Amino acid sequence: MAHRLEKRINGLVESLMGDYSLGRDIDTINPFTHPDKKAVTDLLDKLRSIIYPGVFRNSSYRYYTIRNHISMLLEDVLYNLIAQIAYVLKYTDDYAGASSEETRARAEEIALEFLERIPKIREFIDTDVQAAFDGDPAAFNKEEIIFSYPGLYAIMVARIAHELFLLGVPLIPRMMTEHAHSLTGIDIHPGASIGKYFFIDHGTGIVIGETTEIGNNVKIYQGVTLGALSTRGGQQLRNKKRHPTIRDNVTIYSGASILGGETVVGENVVIGGNVFITKSVPDGARVSIKNQELRFNYDPKHPLAQEDFQQAEDWYYII
Amino acid sequence: MAHRLEKRINGLVESLMGDYSLGRDIDTINPFTHPDKKAVTDLLDKLRSIIYPGVFRNSSYRYYTIRNHISMLLEDVLYNLIAQIAYVLKYTDDYAGASSEETRARAEEIALEFLERIPKIREFIDTDVQAAFDGDPAAFNKEEIIFSYPGLYAIMVARIAHELFLLGVPLIPRMMTEHAHSLTGIDIHPGASIGKYFFIDHGTGIVIGETTEIGNNVKIYQGVTLGALSTRGGQQLRNKKRHPTIRDNVTIYSGASILGGETVVGENVVIGGNVFITKSVPDGARVSIKNQELRFNYDPKHPLAQEDFQQAEDWYYII
Amino acid sequence: MAHRLEKRINGLVESLMGDYSLGRDIDTINPFTHPDKKAVTDLLDKLRSIIYPGVFRNSSYRYYTIRNHISMLLEDVLYNLIAQIAYVLKYTDDYAGASSEETRARAEEIALEFLERIPKIREFIDTDVQAAFDGDPAAFNKEEIIFSYPGLYAIMVARIAHELFLLGVPLIPRMMTEHAHSLTGIDIHPGASIGKYFFIDHGTGIVIGETTEIGNNVKIYQGVTLGALSTRGGQQLRNKKRHPTIRDNVTIYSGASILGGETVVGENVVIGGNVFITKSVPDGARVSIKNQELRFNYDPKHPLAQEDFQQAEDWYYII
C-alpha cells in the first residue's frame, strides 16, 4: 500500500516535471527577479507610520525620541525600497541590459526622490482626513477616520503608489494598490491623478482607471466606476487617455458609471446614484435618472386597498 | 557615496521633523490614547469562540473541560475589553476629564454588561444561521454556513458591535464592523438595528447606514444600499434619522438602493434587482423595474436572420 | 471589589453554560469533525506554488533542485489534503457510518485524482493569464498579472475548487472560494464550470452562482451577477439548474445582471453596463440600455447659459 502510494507520487512528480517543460509563460522558472509581496506590504505599513507619526502605536516610542524613531524607520524603508526597485527596474526596457551597479544607483535615486515627496503626500492626506470628517455625519472624530475608514486607507496607498508610478517604477505601485483593493474593495490604478480633499465613502466596488484625472474636493460613493468605454483595442490602447476627467467640487453617488477618455465632468457637478454617463457634463449640472419606471404587484396574502394602489402609482415615479 | 547618502537621509529626517511640527491634525503625536487594532480583532476572534463554542477548533479542548475553557476565555475577553474601552472613553465628553479610576470603573461596568448580553446575541445569531440555511439552496449544511458564509460573519460582528454602540462605547464598534467590512465587503454601521432571521447572500458591496432599522426575517443580496439621501449637511446631520426602515419579511435583491430616513419599506415587500427607492413602499408590494428598455445591434460577422430581430425586439423588453 | 468581580464572572460562566445547553444548532459542541480553515488556506498557498513553479519565491530553491522541491511540496499537499478530505467525508451520506480506514482510503483516492488533474488546471490557467494580458491595456507584463490581479487569483482558486467539487468533496471547495472572495470581492461558487481564456477585470462585487456554465474566451467586469431568478424555493432547489449559461466569446460589462437557469447568452454577445437580463440572448447580439433618461438641474451659484441647456438636453439621452 505504502509502496503503491510512493509509486503514484512519483508519477505525479514526473507528470508535473513534464508539464513544467512545455515552455509556456506559466512554466517559466524565474524565482529571483520579481518584487516580494511581503516586502511591499511591509513598506506600506512603515510608510503609514511615517505619514501618521503619532497615531500608529509602536512600542519603540517608549525608548527613543521621535527623531531617532523616524531616522530608523526612514533608513529601513529606504534600504528595502532600493532593493525592491532594483528588482523591478530589470523589467523595464532601459535597464534590461544594465549592470547591477547602474540599476542600484538608479533605484537609490528613485527611492530618495520618492521619500522627499512624503511631505507633499502628507499635505494631501491631511486634506483627505478633513474631507472625510466634513462629509460623513457618522464620523466620531478624526482618529476614527484614520483608524477605521477604508476609503482613507485606499487614498493614502493610491497617493504613495502614484508618486512611484510617476518616477517610472513598474509593478510595485500596482502591487500596492492591489493590496489596498484586497483590504477595501476600492480599486484605484496608480496612474490616476487625484487632487486635494478627496473623500470616498464606504467605497466597496469603486474602480478608478489608469488615466483618470480627479480635481480638488471630489466625493465618491461605493460602486462608482470611472472607467474606459471599451478595451477591445487591448494592448494597443496602452498609454492612451481612456478614463474620464472629473473637475473640482464634484459629488458622484453610489453605483454611477462615468466612462471614456474624452468625458469631462465639469466643476460643481452632482451625479446621482446609478447614472450611466458616457459624454461630458457641463459645470454646475445636477444629473439624475429621470423617471425610473417601476412596476408593482401585490401579495394576495397582504392585499392593498385600491386607493393604496392609486397612491402608489405616483410615488413609483421616483427621484 | 555612503557619506552623500547619509547626508541625504539626514536631510529627509530634518524635512519630516519640520513637516511634523506644522500643527495639523495629521501631525498630532499621541500614540497611547487610542484602541489597538490588533487587540480589537483579537477580541472579535475570542467572542466568536464564545458564540460558537463547539465549532471553532481549539487545542485546549483536549486538556480542559468546556467550563474551564469558557471561564478562561471570558476572563481574557473581559480584561482586554476593559482596557480597550478605558482607552476610548477618554474621547467622550463625559470622561475627557475623569480620573483613570473613574474611567476604569465605567469601562468595567460596560464590559460586564456587554458580556451579559451574549446569550441574547447568540439567540439572534442562531436564527441567522437558520435563515441562511433556509434561504440558500447551495448551502450544504449549517457548519458550512458558520465556516464559510461572509454574510453570517458580517452579521455576527454587527450584532456584537451594536451592543457596544448602545452601551455608549465610541470607536471600537466601528473598528469591529470595518474589520468585517474588509473581510467581507459588507459595510454595516454599528448603529443599525437588525431583527432576527437576517440573511445576507453573497454580500459584497452592501452598505447599511447608521440609523437603519431592520425588522425580522429580512433577506438582502450583494450590492444593496440602505443609505442616506444626501449627506450635504455633514456633521450637522449627526444623530438624525437619515437611513430607511425595513419592516418584517422583506427581500431586497441585488443592486437595489433604498434611501432616506423617512423611507419605510412595509411588511412582506419584495424589492427587485437594481430598483432605486426614495419613498415609502406599502405592505405586501412587489417592486421591480418596469420595462428597462434595451437596444441591440448585431455583429456583422455573426448576422441574425431578420425574423430573429423581430423576435428579439420582444424579449428585450424584459422583466 | 475584586471579589465582586469574581462573582460576576462566575455568573457569566453559569449563564453561558446554561445557554450552551439549549440544544440549538449554535450550541453543538463538536470541535474535531470539521476542516481547519488555516489548513485549507495553507493548501491553497502550496497549490499556487505548484501551479506557478517559478514565480513564487521560496528560499528552498537555493538548496534543492526543482524536482526535489516539487516532490516535497506534493507530498506535503497530498498528506494534508487527505487529512482534510477525510474530515469532511464524514458529513456525506455515503461515509457518515464508514470506518476511518474506509474514509481514509477514499480521501486518499480523491486527493491523488485531484493532484493528477493539476496539469489540466495549469493548461486552463495559462490561457487565463493570456486573456488578461490581451484584455487589459494597463497590464505591464504577465508577471504583473500573476502577482497582482485579483481576478486571476479568484479564477485559479475557482478552478482548483471546481475539481474538488466534481470529485464529491463537500465544504472544502466552498471554504477555498470564500477565501478568494474575502481577498478579492469575487464570489465564484465551486460548482460553476468555466471554459478557457476567462478574464475578470477589477472584479469586486462579481457573483457567479453554483450552476452557471461559462464557455471559452469570456470576459466579465466588476459588479456582474450571474445569478438565480429567485431562491424562494430554498433547499428544494438544490441541484436544480438555477443560473445562466454563457457561451463562447462573450463580454459582460460592469454592473450587468444575468439571471435564471434557462437564460442562455449566445456566442459573440456583448452585454452593456448595468443591463438586467432574465431571458436568453441570441448569438452575435450587442445589448445595451436604451435611452437611460436623465434629468438635470443646475446650481444657481453656477448658472448655465440657456443655450447650454439646449445642448445639454441632447447629450443627456446617452449611450
Side-chain angles (χ1 to χ4, degrees), chain B residues 10 13 16 23 34 43-44 61 71 85 103-104 121 134 157 174 176 184-186 218 247 250 269 273 287 296 299 308:
Chain B
N10 285 341
V13 172
L16 273 176
H34 56 77
L43 274 171
L44 273 182
Y61 274 119
S71 304
I85 294 174
T103 310
R104 161 101 200 171
I121 294 173
D134 293 340
V157 172
R174 180 72 181 260
M176 288 176 162
T184 66
I186 299 165
V218 168
R247 298 229 187 281
V250 169
V269 165
V287 186
F296 66 99
D299 182 345
D308 282 340

Side-chain angles (χ1 to χ4, degrees), chain B residues 60 64 66-77, chain C residues 13:
Chain B
S60 66
Y64 299 97
I66 296 297
R67 181 186 298 267
N68 282 352
H69 178 70
I70 292 299
S71 304
M72 284 167 53
L73 209 50
L74 265 179
E75 273 193 53
D76 189 10
V77 166
Chain C
V13 173

Side-chain angles (χ1 to χ4, degrees), chain B residues 191-232:
Chain B
S193 75
I194 301 171
K196 289 183 175 182
Y197 293 94
F198 186 45
F199 176 39
I200 290 177
D201 205 359
H202 310 297
T204 306
I206 285 174
V207 172
I208 300 178
E210 184 179 17
T211 63
T212 306
E213 294 167 73
I214 297 176
N216 294 315
N217 203 21
V218 168
K219 184 161 138 180
I220 68 177
Y221 286 80
Q222 69 272 16
V224 165
T225 294
L226 306 179
L229 261 171
S230 163
T231 53
R232 307 227 120 221

Side-chain angles (χ1 to χ4, degrees), chain B residues 84-102:
Chain B
Q84 298 304 321
I85 294 174
Y87 272 140
V88 296
L89 281 182
K90 293 174 199 158
Y91 285 110
T92 63
D93 292 343
D94 289 357
Y95 288 84
S99 71
S100 52
E101 284 74 22
E102 283 176 304

Side-chain angles (χ1 to χ4, degrees), chain A residues 270-286:
Chain A
V270 179
I271 304 287
N274 296 354
V275 165
F276 195 91
I277 296 271
T278 57
K279 296 201 182 159
S280 294
V281 176
D283 291 357
R286 306 267 176 276

Side-chain angles (χ1 to χ4, degrees), chain C residues 21-38:
Chain C
S21 66
L22 295 178
R24 300 163 298 187
D25 289 307
I26 202 175
D27 304 319
T28 307
I29 297 190
N30 192 17
F32 292 117
T33 53
H34 56 76
D36 185 285
K37 192 170 183 173
K38 212 171 133 36

Side-chain angles (χ1 to χ4, degrees), chain B residues 268-282:
Chain B
N268 301 293
V269 165
V270 178
I271 305 287
N274 297 351
V275 165
F276 196 90
I277 295 270
T278 58
K279 297 200 179 157
S280 293
V281 176

Side-chain angles (χ1 to χ4, degrees), chain A residues 50 55 57 67 116 122 133 136 139 142 183 202 204 221-222 293 295-297 299 302 315 318, chain B residues 8 14 19-20 25 27 34 36 178 181-182 187 225 231 235 238 268 276 282-284 286 288 290:
Chain A
I50 291 173
V55 173
R57 162 187 310 272
R67 180 186 299 267
E116 282 161 2
R122 294 187 75 240
F133 186 70
D136 182 10
K142 290 189 179 172
L183 291 176
H202 309 298
T204 305
Y221 286 80
Q222 69 272 16
E293 287 189 85
R295 69 171 192 182
F296 67 100
N297 272 307
D299 180 346
H302 300 83
W315 33 254
I318 55 170
Chain B
R8 202 138 163 208
E14 291 316 308
D19 201 49
Y20 290 162
D25 290 306
D27 304 319
H34 56 77
D36 185 284
E178 285 297 348
H181 182 192
S182 176
D187 182 358
T225 294
T231 53
Q235 288 291 323
R238 202 197 273 196
N268 301 293
F276 196 90
D283 292 358
R286 306 268 176 275
S288 57
K290 187 175 174 181

